Amino acid sequence: MFRIAISRITDDGQRITPQHRGTAMSVDEAVLALREHLPTVDTSAFRSDAVQRSVNRVNDFRHDVDTADGGHYRVVIAPMM
């Protein structure tokens, strides 16, 4: 199982505000949850193999994304311990 955290980043990058938290059984499910919450985000960086390598190496996967309307978000996918 994986936990998913999506947080909004202020334009100046000084503050991160949690927007969504959830769980998923697989990386693919986590990406689907991301698409549901932020449908305009390019999810090409969230390939299963890239996420899994990051989780294995540093215990989570973090990626900052931008939405079509100019929003900035940080997405974290990490294994449930």
Side-chain angles (χ1 to χ4, degrees):
M1 280 189 83
F2 293 87
R3 65 180 171 85
I4 308 154
I6 300 172
S7 302
R8 180 179 274 284
I9 302 172
T10 57
D11 288 336
D12 60 5
Q14 295 296 313
R15 203 158 71 184
I16 297 175
T17 306
Q19 297 289 306
H20 174 77
R21 292 176 194 247
T23 60
M25 293 300 289
S26 67
V27 171
D28 292 331
E29 262 187 47
V31 173
L32 285 175
L34 169 63
R35 285 183 184 144
E36 288 175 7
H37 191 72
L38 299 172
T40 63
V41 166
D42 176 17
T43 57
S44 61
F46 294 86
R47 292 185 336 268
S48 293
D49 58 332
V51 173
Q52 192 63 55
R53 273 195 313 271
S54 180
V55 165
N56 291 345
R57 192 173 16 123
V58 294
N59 213 27
D60 69 12
F61 177 84
R62 295 170 187 253
H63 191 71
D64 292 350
V65 296
D66 297 319
T67 58
D69 64 356
H72 306 289
Y73 294 86
R74 174 160 298 148
V75 177
V76 179
I77 300 173
M80 300 276 295
M81 298 283 178

